[in-house]
Amino acid sequence: MALNILCCVKRVPMTGGRIVLTADEQAIETRHLGFTISPHEECGVEEAVRLIEANGGSSTVLALGPAEAEEQLRDCMALGIDRAIHLVAGDEFDGQATARAIVEAIEAERAAGTEYDIVFFGNESADAGGFQVGIRVAHALGRPCVTGVKAVALEDGGLRLEQEVPGGRDVYRVTLPAVVTVKEGLNLPRYPSVPGRLRAKKKPLEARTPERGSQGVEKVRLVVPADEGSQTEVLGRGPEAAPAVVELLERIGVAG
Amino acid sequence: MSSVLVLVEHDGAAADDLSRQAATLARGYAEAAGVGLEAILIGPGAADAAAGLGELGVAKAHVAEHDGLSQFAPQAWGRTIAGLAGRLAPAAVVGPGSERAAEVMAHAAAIADLPFAANCISAAPGDPAAVTRVRWGGSLLEEARLHGATKLLTVAAHAVEATPAAAPAQTEVAAFTPELADADLAARVVERAQTDTGGGISLADAKVVVSGGRGAGSAEGFAAIEELAGLLGGAVGCSRAVTIAGWRPHTDQVGQTGTKIAPEIYIPCGISGATQHMAGCKGAKRILAINTDPDAPMIANADYAVIGDLHEVVPAIVAALKARGG
Ligand SMILES: Cc1cc2nc3c(=O)[nH]c(=O)nc-3n(C[C@H](O)[C@H](O)[C@H](O)COP(=O)(O)OP(=O)(O)OC[C@H]3O[C@@H](n4cnc5c(N)ncnc54)[C@H](O)[C@@H]3O)c2cc1C
Ligand SMILES: Nc1ncnc2c1ncn2[C@@H]1O[C@H](COP(=O)(O)O)[C@@H](O)[C@H]1O
């Protein structure tokens, strides 16, 4: 059964050890940073590529973000995604506006004859952590939505999905078309190959410019949380520090 | 504006900790807005759990009753909340900081076409409301204006201390039957799969966690780390550099997209201390970092540090522990 799959990914900075904000406190200072997508979304991309390899069909990746987000779209295509949709937006959109723009793109695709059987999202975006875009898109499209998924299997023309919950895994069975939000651990994503990177440069990328509209969660400013200012006590250097470590473990009562 | 509504998750007998935290924030919000605090409870045993909410200041508890709600079905849960909110027109609906609560609140938001702010650490009523919410798993905060006729938000886990109301309330428990469509039950839990508990100590609950990062060098590089964790009755963790290299399973990963831990002591070995890793270990009481680089962010974030090669330091600690009273 050939499948048509869409994956939604968001370009975010790789922040490293410390977050520095721009002077206007509206964004992370990214001058010295690289960019990536959430590990959850990487697993969505990998799952899409595997499903298409096994069943045939076509995969598409979509990102709403600045012109530079083309980098993340090409990265996904280097891993085996067939084509990309770039919703070009300078400013960040809130969850409602993001979902609106993605739904418009999916409807335009449908009008052009492409119907997605599965739409993969991350469970939450790395930066905003809104926990909502996938669910909002599912409602707008009238499709079932399962979140936090760590196992995907095609079964009787539908999907069997596992969601991690405290103490076990809950199993869902849904018919297609469906929306699935996934978590890291679903699979171990592959690395891009050199031929994959070369092919990605030539794969089709369509751009559109969505309306941002009003923001229901309107960012005022970002704040780096005050760190607790812990003084670090250096117990020693090298293996000679072992007795001091044991003393510490005994003092706090965990030495066994 | 009649009230503030808090979504209470429960085990069939009492509200859970995160819901008590949410109720505490919701009560403050209600007091500031000059309205009462009410609760919504869904799922088997909801009426029993509702009876105990007086201590949290809940004046009225709305208990959803419907055959379709005996198994978790996220959209049905969301429809139930959106339906009650439509009827009561509360100033706000406040959910707890569990992923499941975020999920059902997002469904309610989608159904009601309202904005939704997940993982708030504070909220002040108004139009718009002023909220501070968590980004990047807690490494960054966002101050935002939250719009909408009813403000929808969840309270980040462990951001607010649960406290009882100054004056406990007599909770009136009222059952209601939500209107659910078949489509609301299309995605529902059909079975519970067992995960291999293996008798080990779970990372999330462990009193001691010893983790390895890229500095461990290989899967074999975890041998001494495993031995140390074993001697301390703790669990082994790791960084994402380790899981994507395939040295450890993702279930061992500590961080923003892994497990959040809260041990008495966390011992990261050869982990640099990226913000996304720190997001998972902020709950640790103490951190003892072992790293060759004295300038690693993890060292600055730690309470105690040993500067050195983990392949020498960890075996030395193991030997010293074994030698004790031996
Ligand atoms: C959206 C997003 C989510 C993420 N989620 C997570 C997450 O959940 N968890 C997570 O861990 N990461 C996460 N990451 C990745 C994170 O940014 C870092 O890349 C990762 O934590 C680095 O792992 P590391 O510290 O092991 O490796 P490195 O950063 O390479 O650090 C290795 C450290 O080991 C030290 N070292 C080297 N050799 C030795 C030795 N012999 N003895 C002692 N010390 C030594 C070095 O000095 C260095 O400090 C995420 C990233 C993104 C963008
Ligand atoms: N700007 C964006 N572009 C593409 N997909 C996005 C964007 N923002 C969010 N998403 C998708 O929606 C998921 C959940 O985002 P959020 O609701 O912000 O937590 C993400 O993991 C992505 O899959």
Side-chain angles (χ1 to χ4, degrees):
Chain A
M1 174 177 127
L3 292 168
N4 223 335
I5 304 179
L6 178 69
C7 302
C8 295
V9 305
K10 184 177 186 183
R11 172 185 166 93
V12 297
M14 272 189 280
T15 53
R18 211 163 64 88
I19 292 181
V20 179
L21 299 179
T22 54
D24 65 3
E25 300 176 310
Q26 293 299 304
I28 291 175
E29 177 55 72
T30 56
R31 244 178 305 171
H32 306 293
L33 300 180
F35 288 80
T36 184
I37 61 174
S38 161
H40 298 326
E41 294 155 20
E42 285 180 18
C43 288
V45 167
E46 175 68 25
E47 200 67 18
V49 172
R50 288 185 192 184
L51 283 167
I52 298 304
E53 281 170 350
N55 300 283
S58 167
S59 56
T60 305
V61 60
L62 177 153
L64 167 78
E68 294 83 356
E70 181 174 342
E71 178 192 351
Q72 280 61 49
L73 293 169
R74 298 276 174 210
D75 286 349
C76 294
M77 290 193 284
L79 296 170
I81 298 282
D82 299 311
R83 58 187 277 267
I85 301 172
H86 187 177
L87 306 180
V88 185
D91 290 317
E92 195 181 3
F93 285 32
D94 77 354
Q96 254 178 318
T98 303
R100 227 167 16 231
I102 293 174
V103 168
E104 271 170 25
I106 291 174
E107 278 168 355
E109 291 274 295
R110 178 188 291 155
T114 301
E115 184 84 58
Y116 294 108
D117 303 299
I118 306 172
V119 186
F120 281 125
F121 289 88
N123 186 65
E124 81 275 7
S125 56
D127 58 345
F131 289 86
Q132 57 190 271
V133 171
I135 293 167
R136 287 189 189 273
V137 170
H139 275 269
L141 300 176
R143 295 180 183 185
C145 180
V146 178
T147 65
V149 165
K150 288 218 170 168
V152 174
L154 268 179
E155 211 180 75
D156 308 326
L159 293 175
R160 180 186 185 279
L161 304 162
E162 290 183 12
Q163 177 190 55
E164 214 159 53
V165 290
R169 281 183 171 204
D170 279 345
V171 179
Y172 295 75
R173 284 200 183 81
V174 294
T175 53
L176 298 178
V179 172
V180 179
T181 87
V182 304
K183 277 197 175 177
E184 190 179 20
L186 167 63
N187 52 44
L188 192 56
R190 70 196 66 189
Y191 290 99
S193 64
V194 174
R197 287 215 172 276
L198 293 175
R199 271 197 300 276
K201 287 190 183 156
K202 299 201 196 84
K203 288 185 179 176
L205 184 149
E206 280 161 46
R208 337 165 145 265
T209 313
E211 284 293 325
R212 183 159 176 262
S214 65
Q215 300 290 291
V217 181
E218 191 190 345
K219 179 168 64 190
V220 177
R221 65 179 192 123
L222 300 176
V223 182
V224 177
D227 75 45
E228 267 101 80
S230 76
Q231 278 293 327
T232 310
E233 182 185 337
V234 177
L235 298 178
R237 289 182 174 266
E240 290 73 43
V245 171
V246 172
E247 202 178 293
L248 167 69
L249 297 173
E250 283 178 335
R251 182 148 44 82
I252 63 174
V254 299
Chain B
M1 293 297 171
S2 57
S3 62
V4 167
L5 196 59
V6 59
L7 169 64
V8 171
E9 294 187 304
H10 57 88
D11 60 4
D16 66 15
D17 285 345
L18 298 182
S19 297
R20 296 170 55 79
Q21 295 163 17
T24 303
L25 184 137
R27 191 174 66 234
Y29 192 101
E31 282 165 5
V35 300
L37 179 63
E38 302 188 3
I40 175 168
L41 296 92
I42 310 173
D48 293 330
L53 295 175
E55 177 223 1
L56 291 166
V58 174
K60 185 168 182 180
H62 304 268
V63 173
E65 286 182 350
H66 193 291
D67 289 345
L69 297 172
S70 58
Q71 285 295 335
F72 181 63
Q75 186 170 316
W77 252 244
R79 180 82 59 194
T80 300
I81 295 166
L84 184 68
R87 195 147 58 73
L88 301 179
V93 183
V94 178
S98 69
E99 295 220 337
R100 190 152 271 190
E103 180 184 20
V104 302
M105 289 292 287
H107 275 285
I111 291 163
D113 196 22
L114 284 169
F116 163 50
N119 289 321
C120 296
I121 63 168
S122 71
D127 213 1
V131 302
T132 301
R133 59 179 301 274
V134 157
R135 283 182 163 241
W136 283 102
S139 308
L140 191 60
L141 302 175
E142 171 188 1
E143 293 175 3
R145 299 190 186 101
L146 175 56
H147 295 266
T150 290
K151 311 297 185 285
L152 301 184
L153 60 126
T154 60
V155 181
H158 309 298
V160 173
E161 197 190 336
T163 56
Q170 265 312 4
T171 309
E172 176 198 341
V173 179
F176 75 103
T177 304
E179 270 179 47
L180 302 180
D182 285 348
D184 295 328
L185 299 165
R188 64 177 194 285
V189 176
V190 292
E191 72 190 72
R192 167 66 62 91
Q194 262 345 92
T195 41
D196 50 326
T197 39
I201 298 149
S202 93
L203 196 53
D205 300 329
K207 290 262 175 291
V208 177
V209 176
V210 188
S211 279
R214 199 191 307 275
S218 64
E220 296 71 42
F222 275 77
I225 289 169
E226 280 183 345
E227 197 176 4
L228 178 57
L231 284 171
L232 300 176
V236 174
C238 70
S239 71
R240 180 162 189 258
V242 167
T243 48
I244 59 180
W247 301 343
R248 307 284 304 182
H250 180 264
T251 43
D252 283 0
Q253 182 175 313
V254 172
Q256 182 179 335
T257 52
T259 300
K260 311 242 176 335
I261 60 170
E264 290 293 310
I265 186 162
Y266 181 46
I267 310 181
C269 310
I271 295 181
S272 61
T275 52
Q276 299 89 8
H277 187 84
M278 300 315 296
C281 63
K282 269 201 279 280
K285 265 214 189 105
R286 309 169 184 81
I287 297 178
L288 161 60
I290 300 173
N291 202 302
T292 43
D293 176 7
D295 297 323
M298 181 60 90
I299 300 280
N301 284 321
D303 304 282
Y304 306 96
V306 174
I307 311 300
D309 185 340
L310 71 93
H311 299 295
E312 296 171 7
V313 176
V314 180
I317 298 169
V318 166
L321 275 170
K322 283 186 175 164
R324 236 173 10 136

